[in-house]
Amino acid sequence: MYKFFLLFILPFFILAQTTSKPLIEGKQGMVVSTHPVASDIGLAILKKGGNAIDAAVAVNFALAVCHPSAGNIGGGGFLVYRDKSGNVKALDYREKAPSAANRDMYLDAEGKIIPGKSMTGIFSVGVPGTVAGMHEMHDKLGKLPWKVLLQPAVELATKGLLLTDREARGLNRQRVEFLKENLGKTYLLSEEGKEWKAGDLIVQADLAASLERIARKKSSGFYRGQTASLIVKEMKGKNGLITKKDLKNYQAIWRTPIKSQYKNYQIIGMPPPSSGGVALAQLLQMVAPYTFKKWGPSSDSTIQVMVEAERRVYADRSNWLGDPDFVKVPVNELIDSMYTSSRMGQMNFNQATKSSDILAGVFPGYESPETTHYSIVDGEGNAVSITTTLNNSYGSKVFVGGAGFLLNDEMDDFSAKAGSPNLYGLIGSKANEIQPNKRMLSSMTPTIVEENGQLKMVVGTPGGATIITSVFQVVLNTLEMGMNMQQAVEYPRFHHQWMPDKITAEPARFSEDQQGRLKAKGYTISPVSAIGLVEGILVLPNGSLQGGADSRGDDKVSAY
């Protein structure tokens, strides 16, 4: 009994020692993002009378200035939205393959993947969707004038940004890549080869001009005119694929959100080409029968059930998910409760399941075919969950000359070759093979949770392949383990993605004794320094908002 009690409370003791950010609550509005400046800009928009969508637009363009590793106008993303009346929407502004792309573009003459070609440089770039997405959501759901929402970002780029220590170190790590991919350009490079340090002022004049064009002409200020010409010039100079027609034809798409049930909670997620909504629904349904509240967040049983569910879900992801405009995705079949229950039938507490023994499910009638997040709730109860990305940290490392912004490397999220892993070790199938104008599969998991028809939680995270499992754990931390929002996002995390067959875990997640017990059952554990940067908002029974800003980054809760 005493030993069980220690196992249960130890994680909370560790958490109390490692949580470095205070618990923030508010009553009228809240913004949680990965950069303090962006969070404050979003809150200022709410205080001006803007709604959650207005704040989201302002935060996005601010992040393009202050968080260049993932904030962007040269990438894409997903919106999950719930208005004050409970109506939900999902907006897909994921990047697309250029019209000149082809299935084998990353393979050599022998059919082998050319190392790095899909990850860095001009050939890794997909047609950006961010600006079209921001314009579309504001046009349909915004309240304040567009220019008002862009102005803070324009001023930030013009007057300069004081670097945080984390941002300075990130830029210093990229110096060699920036120089390699951008001959003659000095964007985000310090003078005379010196390293950036915290407190340095960084001015981005060309980016400010690009933002001003977007402020004046909305999406036309990006997909047409001077900015579009600069993008195409960059492409032609390096034999890239994106054309003016690709830019002109890009459109954001409204899709039907995925709704699933977890006990008395409704989970609202992003549909394909995001895999997040389907995967999270599957995970929560698979673990619902188990007594996590009794076991606690760090018991062997809890860990095993979560890992076994994760490996099965990622096996399904690798085989079935892709752009629904190009392939038939069995969404309803994948999230059917009878199916998800059957997937856990071979779960054995005495022995790990080998991933090589796990195959994707089979459905009759079907053939196998550095990101950032922010969460916002306004005073009326409208909620926004947005994940946006360049893919790898700082994307393709290619700046658009004269425009001052980085382009994505999202083409790596396609299956360069069916059965071969991408940058994150994720294996894809024909469903996610490269086709012209197709959207690549994503792990982004912007999520909204309802309890008995009322808004309960807004959550999401960056993290590549670990996004889905990070959101999964934070949702369980609050709904099952009784943690507050700050504790839930801080709690040490782990991840399993089917292949490679191993658990990656943060240092504080498993004790040495627990690692020994898990290894004896056949689990392989690999340490990593950090997983994800979760931004969450929890609605308390009294209607107050409780924020969680991850200490793994510069994240901040801004509230009033």
Side-chain angles (χ1 to χ4, degrees):
M1 176 73 178
Y2 178 70
K3 186 175 181 181
F4 172 80
F5 179 72
L6 276 180
L7 283 173
F8 186 80
I9 67 167
L10 182 59
F12 291 95
F13 175 76
I14 293 172
L15 185 64
Q17 299 300 306
T18 58
T19 299
S20 62
K21 294 185 179 179
L23 180 64
I24 303 294
E25 295 184 2
K27 291 187 177 294
Q28 299 183 62
M30 180 172 284
V31 178
V32 190
S33 87
T34 197
H35 198 285
V37 171
S39 293
D40 289 346
I41 284 172
L43 187 68
I45 293 297
L46 293 181
K47 287 182 176 180
K48 284 184 178 180
N51 60 22
I53 290 291
D54 294 325
V57 172
V59 167
N60 184 92
F61 287 110
L63 286 170
V65 181
C66 62
H67 188 56
S69 62
N72 68 83
I73 58 175
F78 298 119
L79 159 75
V80 175
Y81 173 75
R82 181 188 185 276
D83 72 16
K84 60 186 178 183
S85 302
N87 301 305
V88 297
K89 296 180 183 294
L91 183 63
D92 169 6
Y93 53 100
R94 180 68 160 152
E95 301 90 335
K96 296 172 67 173
S99 55
N102 67 82
R103 185 192 66 182
D104 300 331
M105 62 186 286
Y106 298 120
L107 306 182
D108 63 18
E110 297 178 354
K112 296 178 181 178
I113 294 176
I114 301 170
K117 189 176 180 182
S118 68
M119 299 179 190
T120 305
I122 205 71
F123 292 104
S124 67
V125 183
V127 181
T130 293
V131 178
M134 293 297 114
H135 183 184
E136 180 66 19
M137 70 178 71
H138 178 263
D139 191 50
K140 294 288 192 296
L141 303 165
K143 187 176 175 183
L144 294 183
W146 176 259
K147 285 186 178 181
V148 171
L149 309 180
L150 271 288
Q151 192 56 35
V154 172
E155 291 181 3
L156 194 61
T158 302
K159 296 178 181 178
L161 166 76
L162 294 177
L163 290 175
T164 67
D165 180 65
R166 188 178 301 274
E167 292 290 347
R169 285 186 281 114
L171 290 174
N172 292 334
R173 284 194 297 268
Q174 299 301 320
R175 182 177 180 84
V176 173
E177 289 281 6
F178 285 166
L179 288 169
K180 177 184 173 184
E181 298 296 336
N182 299 280
L183 295 177
K185 302 175 200 162
T186 59
Y187 298 127
L188 300 185
L189 297 175
S190 55
E191 294 180 3
E192 298 175 358
K194 294 179 182 177
E195 290 203 337
W196 292 110
K197 60 183 183 299
D200 282 351
L201 183 73
I202 183 166
V203 175
Q204 302 174 73
D206 283 355
L207 176 58
S210 295
L211 291 170
E212 285 178 339
R213 288 191 288 273
I214 296 168
R216 290 196 309 269
K217 299 181 180 180
K218 300 187 177 181
S219 59
S220 292
F222 183 87
Y223 295 95
R224 292 172 172 81
Q226 185 176 350
T227 301
S229 295
L230 290 170
I231 294 172
V232 172
K233 181 181 178 182
E234 192 69 39
M235 289 288 151
K236 289 181 177 179
K238 297 176 179 175
N239 297 315
L241 300 183
I242 295 175
T243 65
K244 280 194 174 182
K245 186 176 180 181
D246 288 327
L247 294 168
K248 184 179 178 181
N249 289 344
Y250 185 89
Q251 289 186 319
I253 300 175
W254 291 100
R255 300 194 186 275
T256 303
I258 287 180
K259 294 182 179 180
S260 61
Q261 205 68 26
Y262 174 70
K263 300 184 178 180
N264 63 321
Y265 303 99
Q266 185 168 66
I267 313 299
I268 303 161
M270 190 71 205
S274 168
S275 61
V278 170
L280 184 62
Q282 287 185 297
L283 285 168
L284 290 170
Q285 286 174 180
M286 284 182 186
V287 305
Y290 298 92
T291 55
F292 285 162
K293 270 184 184 171
K294 178 181 176 181
W295 295 342
S298 203
S299 73
D300 291 4
S301 296
T302 295
I303 302 304
Q304 284 187 259
V305 169
M306 292 173 72
V307 166
E308 296 301 338
E310 288 171 6
R311 80 165 86 234
R312 288 158 173 79
V313 166
Y314 276 79
D316 280 345
R317 180 195 186 278
S318 73
N319 191 72
W320 290 110
L321 295 180
D323 184 344
D325 297 335
F326 284 74
V327 294
K328 190 176 181 183
V329 182
V331 171
N332 292 332
E333 289 84 352
L334 285 165
I335 66 174
D336 179 80
S337 59
M338 294 288 288
Y339 171 70
T340 54
S341 176
S342 72
R343 293 291 273 163
M344 294 294 280
Q346 296 178 330
M347 158 81 188
N348 183 351
F349 281 105
N350 296 317
Q351 184 67 39
T353 307
K354 292 181 180 178
S355 286
S356 56
D357 293 337
I358 297 292
L359 300 175
V362 178
F363 306 110
Y366 282 86
E367 294 184 2
S368 180
E370 185 79 34
T371 302
T372 187
H373 179 88
Y374 49 100
S375 299
I376 301 172
V377 177
D378 64 26
E380 294 183 333
N382 303 301
V384 161
S385 183
I386 285 181
T387 312
T388 181
T389 184
L390 288 170
N391 194 33
N392 192 18
S393 185
Y394 301 94
S396 64
K397 315 299 191 296
V398 176
F399 288 93
V400 176
F405 60 87
L406 282 160
L407 291 165
N408 66 82
D409 66 326
E410 292 295 354
M411 293 296 288
D412 186 63
D413 273 356
F414 280 118
S415 301
K417 183 178 182 180
S420 296
N422 71 354
L423 170 69
Y424 300 106
L426 291 171
I427 294 173
S429 69
K430 264 191 88 172
N432 191 39
E433 71 179 7
I434 302 168
Q435 290 177 257
N437 303 306
K438 185 179 181 180
R439 285 166 159 85
M440 56 291 290
L441 185 62
S442 170
S443 295
M444 291 186 279
T445 313
T447 301
I448 292 175
V449 179
E450 292 180 339
E451 182 180 21
N452 300 320
Q454 301 299 310
L455 180 64
K456 177 68 175 178
M457 190 189 312
V458 185
V459 66
T461 184
T466 68
I467 290 174
I468 296 164
T469 54
S470 294
V471 172
F472 173 49
Q473 288 170 76
V474 170
V475 168
L476 289 178
N477 286 346
T478 53
L479 303 187
E480 291 291 340
M481 309 304 180
M483 298 183 196
N484 66 42
M485 197 73 252
Q486 188 62 40
Q487 290 173 325
V489 304
E490 299 278 52
Y491 197 76
R493 292 192 276 269
F494 65 92
H495 169 75
H496 198 295
Q497 62 183 49
W498 180 53
M499 294 291 184
D501 190 353
K502 66 179 181 179
I503 302 170
T504 53
E506 294 180 326
R509 191 59 177 91
F510 306 134
S511 68
E512 287 189 19
D513 287 346
Q514 186 173 47
Q515 288 188 54
R517 293 192 300 272
L518 292 171
K519 287 177 180 178
K521 293 179 180 181
Y523 295 98
T524 299
I525 300 172
S526 178
V528 292
S529 59
I531 296 176
L533 286 173
V534 180
E535 287 79 32
I537 299 175
L538 186 68
V539 182
L540 303 178
N542 66 3
S544 294
L545 305 172
Q546 189 178 84
D550 208 317
S551 287
R552 296 166 182 83
D554 292 325
D555 309 45
K556 181 184 179 182
V557 177
S558 293
Y560 78 123

